[in-house]
Amino acid sequence: MKIADFIAEMELLMELDEGTLHGDTILSNLSAWDSLAVIGYIAVVDEAFQRSVATKDIANAETLTDLFMLAHGTP
């Protein structure tokens, strides 16, 4: 999955308009980045990347690019 596809998936997950999110979007600035979005992110990573991500690593992510890198296994 490319980062553009990942961002589009995250927009769907958080019920945001297309083009709302970017790689440098700060997660803490998003009201839609809540516990349900985290669970959805975990499901996306499991389905698309066949891996799991530790919740502490998700909590330390600051941007969408950080989440994308975690999904790829790059801290």
Side-chain angles (χ1 to χ4, degrees):
M1 177 182 285
K2 296 179 182 182
I3 192 160
D5 298 327
F6 173 76
I7 290 171
E9 186 70 29
M10 295 303 291
E11 287 172 336
L12 285 173
L13 180 76
M14 291 189 259
E15 299 179 351
L16 298 171
D17 293 333
E18 184 178 330
T20 301
L21 301 176
H22 305 281
D24 61 352
T25 299
I26 306 293
L27 297 169
S28 62
N29 291 342
L30 295 171
S31 61
W33 181 245
D34 57 14
S35 58
L36 290 176
V38 171
I39 292 169
Y41 167 74
I42 291 169
V44 167
V45 172
D46 181 54
E47 184 178 319
F49 298 93
Q50 290 78 49
R51 36 179 299 105
S52 60
V53 178
T55 53
K56 71 176 180 80
D57 292 332
I58 297 169
N60 289 331
E62 295 181 6
T63 66
L64 280 173
T65 298
D66 293 342
L67 290 179
F68 181 73
M69 299 300 283
L70 281 174
H72 276 282
T74 309

